[in-house]
């Protein structure tokens, strides 16, 4: 029963990540680069919260969520170190895009953020599916 809740929560968060990713793609196509950066970051963030759901962990602050992910998943080589770096860059770019008055978001930067979001979502979806298969085999 608790497993079902955790699984559904993780899948819900992953779907949220995919929706954010789709909006990032659309805003990129419409040359709305600040918005693309924002949605790409949130796609990454929601995908990471899907992983944390299976650990039954949640944080109020984004930096704590990302820090835990890096500490427990990237540093332990569950996810490649490149992902940890790309997530950090995405967070910085999102902050600048959202809050710096004179920040100029570029097409290439936004495209890279959208690519990072896709990479993170794909890796996390694979990871979650493996976890679910392993868990269901052990029941």
């Amino acid at each position: 029963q608790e497993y079902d809740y955790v699984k559904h929560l993780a899948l819900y968060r992953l779907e949220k990540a995919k929706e954010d990713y789709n909006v990032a793609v659309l805003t990129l196509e419409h040359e709305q680069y600040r918005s693309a950066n924002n949605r790409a970051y949130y796609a990454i963030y929601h995908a990471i919260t899907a992983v944390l759901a299976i650990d039954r962990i949640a944080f109020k602050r984004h930096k704590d969520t990302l820090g835990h992910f890096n500490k427990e998943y990237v540093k332990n080589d569950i996810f490649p170190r490149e992902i940890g770096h790309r997530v950090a860059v995405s967070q910085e770019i999102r902050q600048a895009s959202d809050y710096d008055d004179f920040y100029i978001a570029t097409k290439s930067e936004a495209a890279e953020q959208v690519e990072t979001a896709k990479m993170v979502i794909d890796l996390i979806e694979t990871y979650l599916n493996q976890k679910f298969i392993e868990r269901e085999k052990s029941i």
Side-chain angles (χ1 to χ4, degrees):
Q1 180 133 17
E2 181 184 354
Y3 168 73
D4 287 339
Y5 170 78
V6 166
K7 180 179 178 181
H8 284 92
L9 178 60
L11 292 174
Y12 170 76
R13 289 177 177 175
L14 186 62
E15 282 307 308
K16 217 167 155 182
K18 289 178 180 180
E19 184 178 315
D20 288 332
Y21 169 77
N22 290 335
V23 174
V25 169
L26 288 173
T27 54
L28 176 63
E29 289 171 357
H30 287 92
E31 300 179 3
Q32 302 296 313
Y33 306 132
R34 290 166 70 102
S35 295
N37 288 339
N38 176 284
R39 290 296 90 199
Y41 167 78
Y42 276 98
I44 292 164
Y45 175 77
H46 288 127
I48 288 171
T49 65
V51 172
L52 271 50
I54 63 171
D55 291 339
R56 297 162 185 83
I57 294 174
F59 297 95
K60 290 185 179 186
R61 298 183 315 176
H62 285 219
K63 78 176 202 172
D64 295 333
T65 300
L66 301 179
H68 180 82
F69 178 76
N70 279 325
K71 182 179 164 200
E72 297 299 322
Y73 289 89
V74 174
K75 286 188 177 160
N76 290 323
D77 294 321
I78 296 168
F79 291 99
R81 291 196 186 271
E82 177 191 1
I83 290 300
H85 173 72
R86 283 177 165 247
V87 168
V89 168
S90 182
Q91 184 183 28
E92 289 172 20
I93 289 172
R94 196 278 304 189
Q95 286 282 111
S97 285
D98 286 358
Y99 300 114
D100 292 357
D101 289 332
F102 299 107
Y103 183 79
I104 298 172
T106 65
K107 181 178 183 176
S108 63
E109 174 187 83
E112 188 174 319
Q113 297 316 300
V114 170
E115 178 188 307
T116 295
K118 178 72 169 138
M119 184 185 305
V120 170
I121 289 169
D122 288 348
L123 285 168
I124 286 177
E125 184 169 37
T126 299
Y127 174 80
L128 290 175
N129 285 334
Q130 287 175 318
K131 284 289 178 192
F132 298 147
I133 290 168
E134 288 169 15
R135 169 77 174 142
E136 288 162 15
K137 280 183 182 176
S138 71
I139 295 176

